Amino acid sequence: MFSIRELTEITGLGRTSLYSEIKRGYLRPLRIGRRTIVPADEVRAWLQRRAAEPQGSD
Protein backbone atom coordinates (compact mmCIF):
# COMPACT_ATOMS: atom_id res chain seq x y z
CA MET A 1 0.00 0.00 0.00
CA PHE A 2 1.16 3.51 -0.78
CA SER A 3 0.38 6.86 0.77
CA ILE A 4 -0.23 9.88 -1.45
CA ARG A 5 3.21 11.19 -0.44
CA GLU A 6 4.84 7.94 -1.56
CA LEU A 7 2.96 8.05 -4.87
CA THR A 8 4.18 11.60 -5.55
CA GLU A 9 7.75 10.34 -5.14
CA ILE A 10 7.19 7.20 -7.26
CA THR A 11 5.27 8.82 -10.12
CA GLY A 12 6.67 12.33 -10.15
CA LEU A 13 3.11 13.69 -10.10
CA GLY A 14 2.03 16.27 -7.56
CA ARG A 15 -0.60 15.81 -4.87
CA THR A 16 -3.12 17.86 -6.85
CA SER A 17 -2.70 15.64 -9.91
CA LEU A 18 -3.07 12.47 -7.86
CA TYR A 19 -6.20 13.74 -6.12
CA SER A 20 -7.56 14.72 -9.55
CA GLU A 21 -7.01 11.14 -10.73
CA ILE A 22 -8.89 9.95 -7.65
CA LYS A 23 -11.75 12.40 -8.20
CA ARG A 24 -12.10 11.29 -11.82
CA GLY A 25 -12.27 7.66 -10.68
CA TYR A 26 -9.06 6.65 -12.44
CA LEU A 27 -7.30 5.76 -9.19
CA ARG A 28 -9.22 4.04 -6.40
CA PRO A 29 -7.85 4.62 -2.90
CA LEU A 30 -8.84 3.37 0.53
CA ARG A 31 -9.46 5.67 3.46
CA ILE A 32 -7.98 4.51 6.75
CA GLY A 33 -8.91 7.06 9.35
CA ARG A 34 -7.75 10.35 7.90
CA ARG A 35 -5.17 8.74 5.63
CA THR A 36 -5.62 8.05 1.95
CA ILE A 37 -3.90 4.80 1.00
CA VAL A 38 -3.73 3.17 -2.42
CA PRO A 39 -3.20 -0.61 -2.65
CA ALA A 40 -0.16 -1.69 -4.69
CA ASP A 41 -2.22 -3.72 -7.18
CA GLU A 42 -4.43 -0.66 -7.81
CA VAL A 43 -1.31 1.46 -8.46
CA ARG A 44 0.01 -1.12 -10.94
CA ALA A 45 -3.31 -1.26 -12.80
CA TRP A 46 -3.55 2.54 -12.88
CA LEU A 47 -0.01 2.88 -14.23
CA GLN A 48 -0.73 0.29 -16.93
CA ARG A 49 -3.89 2.15 -17.97
CA ARG A 50 -1.96 5.43 -18.13
CA ALA A 51 0.80 3.85 -20.20
CA ALA A 52 -1.78 2.51 -22.68
CA GLU A 53 -3.38 5.96 -23.21
CA PRO A 54 -2.52 7.81 -26.41
CA GLN A 55 -0.06 10.65 -25.91
CA GLY A 56 -1.67 14.05 -25.31
CA SER A 57 -4.71 12.52 -23.64
CA ASP A 58 -5.84 13.83 -20.22
Side-chain angles (χ1 to χ4, degrees):
M1 290 198 192
F2 297 97
S3 68
I4 295 298
R5 178 182 294 169
E6 290 169 327
L7 282 177
T8 62
E9 294 171 8
I10 292 167
T11 64
L13 295 174
R15 288 173 50 90
T16 302
S17 294
L18 288 172
Y19 279 110
S20 178
E21 293 286 291
I22 291 168
K23 184 176 181 180
R24 291 177 178 177
Y26 299 153
L27 185 60
R28 293 178 291 273
L30 302 173
R31 292 285 298 191
I32 300 176
R34 293 179 54 181
R35 294 188 71 196
T36 301
I37 303 294
V38 184
D41 55 343
E42 174 63 22
V43 173
R44 279 191 288 275
W46 171 70
L47 290 173
Q48 288 175 344
R49 288 190 302 269
R50 285 185 53 107
E53 290 177 355
Q55 295 295 331
S57 200
D58 55 356

